[in-house]
Amino acid sequence: MDSLRQDAFAALCLGATDRAVGDLSAASEIEPSNAAVWSDLAAAHLQRAAALSDPYEFFLALGAANRAVNRDSGLLAACFNRALALEHLALHRQAAAEWQIVVRGEVDPRWRQEAREHVEALAGRVSGNDWDSRRQAVEKAIEKGDTKAIASLVISTPQEFREYAEEHLLPSWALAEKKHDKEVAQKELAVARAIGRALAAANGEHLVADTVSLIDRLNEASPERLKPLVRGLIAYTDGRSLMAGGDFSHALVRLKDANSALESQKIPFSRWAFFNIALCEYQLSRYDRARALFQKLADDPDRNRYRAPHGRALWLIGLMAIIEGSPTASMTAYESAFSDFQSLDERPFLARLNALMASDLANLGQPMQAWRRLYPALVEPATFGRPADRFSISDIAYSFAWEQGETEIALSFLDEMLQSAQATSTPYAIVDALRSQASILAALGHKDQATNLLKLARQTLNRIPEESTRQVLEGNILWVEATLAATPEQTIDVLDQDIRILRTTSYHHLLGLALHMRAQAEITLGKSEKAEHDLVESIAESEQQRERIDQPDERISYFDRTGQIFDTMISFKLDQRRRPEDALRFSEQAKARVLWDWILAQPGKPGPQRPASAAGALDLDEVRRKLPTGTAAIEYAVLPERTVIWVLRGSGLGHEIVVTRQAALNDLVQRLYSAIREDRTTEAHKLSEALYDLLIRPVAGQLRSGERLVFVPDGALHTLSFALLRDRQTQKYLIQDHILSVAPSLRVFAASAQRDEDLASDTEPRALIIAAPDFDRQLYPTLDTLSAGDTEASFTKLFPGSLTLQAQEATRQAFLRSAGEFEIIHFGGHSMVNPDLPLLSQMLFAKGSDDPARGVLYSGEILHQRFRRTRLAVLASCATASGRVSRTEGVESLARPFLATGVPNVVASLWKVEDQATADFFTGFYRHLKDRFDVAAALRATQLDAIEHGSAEARSLRAWGAFEAIGGGQELIQGKGSQ
């Protein structure tokens, strides 16, 4: 372990932060109680944050520093790193307190002085901004007639000055007019006039300037006409005051009075009265009314002149979309609002919108991207001293930390959230902060503390006059109380109340989870009928929300997050109902759904459009009909504590349950991959045999000698090469006993089998061969130069009429133009898998003369192609069957878009194989395929050649075990269901 720390220190000195973090992470696993290791890891993350400009590293640094301090609170290096991380995440009060610990304990004067400097720098940030001094400076500049100074001050913080004019100066003018206090009225109007002109000139927001201009014209023409305007502004002020106290029903009455009076004078300020009417409807959970009003503002023909109310309306449209379970629509609305406030340079609102968009990304299962979007909001100086903004941003940050298992970081942001809520004196914000703290403490087992916080929350709740607002907050409190319930009966009682509220308030993103929690309690009590009803409804809620998501990556991430509901239903159908066929249907419902959407969207359509719904129950009889004689499909569902294995064939369905933890199974798969990659054959054999015992032996009695097997994996099993699983009793690999293929789901298998049958013909197949494309080396200077091997040269002999595109001829345009006319596509070029954004994975072709893509074909573009004749795509480059592993969707690899567009068979590689070994392998593969167009059988024959007759390199697990056949094609689809 000491050597790892020394290596990490050396790496840090050389700027090799990735290596340092890797070494220290390994050291922390070896000795997790060592505070010094955690402190060093925090320092490494801080350095990597600077090196990569990646704010997510600050989050990781704080997590490591917290662990170090918890293990040794006297380790000043750990306190120093923790203070730095807290400061980088804008947790200024806590950072200042940590720096004070360093000041008191540090003996080295240099480090102590640095800590003092941090304390002094943080003092101003903790105390807030200098709004009062800037406001007074503007008023003095107005008195002097210094228009340059006014403009400079106003544009430095345009949002604060706009809000000051709209929320204070204009209402104050109206009140002074009502009291006939002309001196105050003129002064307030003069300041508003100057601010409005400065805003209009600087960022194009004219609402204040146009309102003051209309007041001036009315005052000159007919002072009597000011009376409705004065009444409207006073009613507006009353309404805003009632809203701040949570009395939205009475606020709505006053705001309607305000809007009527202001609109009668056609004053631009009426937009804010109208906006707040809509906001009251929103707070009262009357979303249809609110949406219609906000949409009217969003459609304002003068929206470019009055961007602030337009942007706020879009903002609230986004909030309602996420409440109702439509994160894609939410993100679209937020982005439009962001554009408005960006043009106005209103940085506090930009920060809050960044935080909201980060929240959408987190809801869609993209935590790292969410943190990176949140970070600019966290550190935005314009939000310091604005407690409402800090509350909203901290609320989102705490939830991110909690979901990623960083409890202490979550509590740090919750402390900031509660401080901000108390500074606003807003009861519902305080309730929300207390409820959130209680939620975390309840999950940590601190039930008494959580219960006390919920009591405080309920006491504060009683200060809110509006019943609908209390109801929403009551629903949130009940959710936490359900987790604190001592018995299943109490859990159900609490959730009964909560679900009623969630239905009323349309909080569908929580409703599905509440139904799931209640079902779990009902299962414990043996209330099977009620549990099944709740699980069915919970899944329906998940499906409904999923259908509202447009982007494929987001839909995949969302379904992964709701996978636990399907896990519960699968267990319920097995344990309570003894219905393995129903359990299999729900396993299928959660598998490869985006891929299935694409497949359904293909026939006769111009692009990968989504069908109306792809959630129908699996037709097991149809799948059985697609299974030829001598074929069995094996599907897995990897649950948290056990794995379910179904064996489906034409004659029936069998199943087995293996007790094994999901984490342990995943670890075995990962260790096997590492052993194969590093040619540790003995270790790989032991791991392969262990996986055989878990995944194959339990159903071995149901398998027939020589039977073809189609595997439908789950989770990490998608990365497993089933071919090299070895029976410890016979010392034979699975591929030696069976022809093997894999499919993302039974639906996909059946569709691919049908497609392959439709494409089969008596004519000799022809191949399009992409051989060593001359890719753009300016884009990829580190990639090796490929050479066309024997595989490509032998094609014309094996498959007459084939076309070889080689070197500079192998352009992206030539491939797209020709691919659909050939039965076989062979890609022998470089590919780049993008694990974060799978639809941006790349196949590299030669750069054409007029190709703006410079030879790069993204996997998402493949979805728009039509391979009308293609039965087989061979992706002979590295790791084309690998990629990001989705819990429900499987591997998001380069193979998927080919399956999606109707190619029934894809051969791809799970990991990198040397170029020559790959060329030799596929030379043999195509010889076997020439004899019989059965992709899985040809692949098996090639693998057996390598195992039994190959060179030492060819016999290595890494060489022959990398390739798999994906899809549903077989030589003949006959004799179905006759077993």
Side-chain angles (χ1 to χ4, degrees), residues 233-255:
L233 284 171
I234 290 173
Y236 174 82
T237 306
D238 293 343
R240 290 283 295 168
S241 178
L242 289 165
M243 288 177 70
D247 190 352
F248 298 105
S249 292
H250 289 100
L252 190 58
V253 174
R254 292 298 285 146
L255 288 166

Side-chain angles (χ1 to χ4, degrees), residues 827 831 833 875-882 893-895 907-911:
F827 179 73
S831 61
V833 175
L875 308 178
S877 50
C878 295
T880 48
S882 70
S893 67
L894 272 168
V907 173
S909 57
L910 288 161
W911 51 76

Side-chain angles (χ1 to χ4, degrees), residues 148-296:
K148 287 186 178 180
I150 296 168
S152 176
L153 286 161
V154 168
I155 202 56
S156 66
T157 53
Q159 182 177 328
E160 286 184 308
F161 279 104
R162 176 182 62 76
E163 291 172 340
Y164 177 59
E166 292 170 348
E167 301 300 321
H168 173 78
L169 292 173
L170 291 173
S172 181
W173 165 83
L175 188 60
E177 280 286 334
K178 182 180 179 182
K179 295 180 178 178
H180 304 291
D181 189 340
K182 293 297 183 183
E183 182 179 351
V184 172
Q186 289 174 4
K187 179 184 176 182
E188 301 290 65
L189 197 61
V191 177
R193 184 182 297 109
I195 290 173
R197 287 173 178 172
L199 288 171
N203 64 16
E205 175 53 68
H206 286 78
L207 191 143
V208 173
D210 288 356
T211 297
V212 173
S213 178
L214 182 59
I215 291 172
D216 288 339
R217 291 199 304 273
L218 290 175
N219 201 24
E220 289 179 9
S222 174
E224 271 303 302
R225 292 182 60 192
L226 287 177
K227 289 182 179 179
L229 200 154
V230 168
R231 285 198 309 273
L233 284 171
I234 290 173
Y236 174 82
T237 306
D238 293 343
R240 290 283 295 168
S241 178
L242 289 165
M243 288 177 70
D247 190 352
F248 298 105
S249 292
H250 289 100
L252 190 58
V253 174
R254 292 298 285 146
L255 288 166
K256 286 181 177 179
D257 290 342
N259 186 59
S260 177
L262 295 172
E263 280 197 337
S264 71
Q265 299 301 309
K266 301 189 183 305
I267 192 166
F269 195 88
S270 64
R271 287 169 173 80
W272 282 123
F274 192 85
F275 170 83
N276 281 285
I277 289 169
L279 186 56
C280 285
E281 297 285 8
Y282 164 81
Q283 294 287 5
L284 294 168
S285 300
R286 299 198 286 247
Y287 296 130
D288 288 343
R289 294 187 196 177
R291 186 184 294 102
L293 295 172
F294 286 131
Q295 192 60 53
K296 187 174 180 180

Side-chain angles (χ1 to χ4, degrees), residues 3-164:
S3 63
L4 281 173
R5 286 189 67 196
Q6 291 169 3
D7 290 347
F9 180 76
L12 283 176
C13 292
L14 295 171
T17 54
D18 286 350
R19 180 179 171 186
V21 167
D23 286 345
L24 289 165
S25 296
S28 69
E29 291 178 7
I30 295 170
E31 197 172 340
S33 61
N34 192 317
V37 170
W38 286 109
S39 179
D40 290 349
L41 182 56
H45 280 303
L46 288 166
Q47 285 199 30
R48 189 154 72 168
L52 302 179
S53 299
D54 186 354
Y56 186 62
E57 294 293 325
F58 293 130
F59 170 73
L60 298 175
L62 182 54
N66 284 339
R67 289 169 176 81
V69 171
N70 291 339
R71 284 156 178 77
D72 184 356
S73 60
L75 184 62
L76 289 177
C79 296
F80 189 98
N81 291 328
R82 184 171 186 268
L84 270 178
L86 286 166
E87 188 173 334
H88 278 297
L89 292 174
L91 291 163
H92 296 144
R93 290 183 181 83
Q94 296 164 65
E98 200 71 23
W99 284 122
Q100 290 286 11
I101 293 172
V102 178
V103 170
R104 292 193 296 269
E106 183 58 69
V107 294
D108 188 317
R110 293 169 300 175
W111 293 116
R112 187 167 59 246
Q113 179 57 32
E114 182 173 344
R116 284 199 183 104
E117 290 171 359
H118 279 279
V119 172
E120 292 170 4
L122 285 169
R125 300 181 203 172
V126 170
S127 62
N129 60 31
D130 57 347
W131 163 245
D132 286 339
S133 63
R134 283 182 284 112
R135 175 181 56 78
Q136 292 167 8
V138 163
E139 290 173 355
K140 289 179 181 178
I142 291 170
E143 291 175 5
K144 295 177 181 178
D146 189 346
T147 55
K148 287 186 178 180
I150 296 168
S152 176
L153 286 161
V154 168
I155 202 56
S156 66
T157 53
Q159 182 177 328
E160 286 184 308
F161 279 104
R162 176 182 62 76
E163 291 172 340
Y164 177 59

Side-chain angles (χ1 to χ4, degrees), residues 307-335:
R307 284 189 179 272
H310 179 257
R312 287 289 282 141
L314 289 167
W315 178 332
L316 269 294
I317 288 170
L319 276 176
M320 286 189 293
I322 197 62
I323 286 171
E324 295 176 335
S326 183
T328 303
S330 173
M331 185 70 80
T332 300
Y334 289 154
E335 286 171 347

Side-chain angles (χ1 to χ4, degrees), residues 424-532:
T424 66
S425 300
T426 307
Y428 51 84
I430 296 170
V431 170
D432 202 28
L434 290 169
R435 185 267 312 165
S436 298
Q437 285 187 327
S439 177
I440 289 183
L441 291 170
L444 293 173
H446 304 309
K447 293 192 174 183
D448 290 342
Q449 294 179 52
T451 300
N452 290 334
L453 286 172
L454 290 177
K455 287 179 181 177
L456 287 174
R458 286 195 176 279
Q459 291 170 9
T460 310
L461 189 67
N462 293 330
R463 291 165 42 195
I464 299 173
E466 184 57 58
E467 182 181 356
S468 62
T469 305
R470 287 200 311 273
Q471 190 179 46
V472 170
L473 294 170
E474 171 79 4
N476 293 337
I477 291 172
L478 286 167
W479 174 264
V480 183
E481 288 179 344
T483 67
L484 288 168
T487 66
E489 290 89 350
Q490 291 176 3
T491 300
I492 292 170
D493 287 343
V494 175
L495 286 172
D496 285 346
Q497 302 173 60
D498 194 27
I499 289 168
R500 281 196 295 271
I501 290 173
L502 291 172
R503 292 189 198 282
T504 303
T505 56
S506 300
Y507 270 59
H508 292 285
H509 65 300
L510 286 180
L511 179 56
L513 297 176
L515 289 163
H516 177 232
M517 188 191 298
R518 187 169 70 179
Q520 290 175 308
E522 289 162 343
I523 290 170
T524 302
L525 295 174
K527 298 181 177 181
S528 298
E529 295 298 329
K530 290 184 176 180
E532 184 169 17

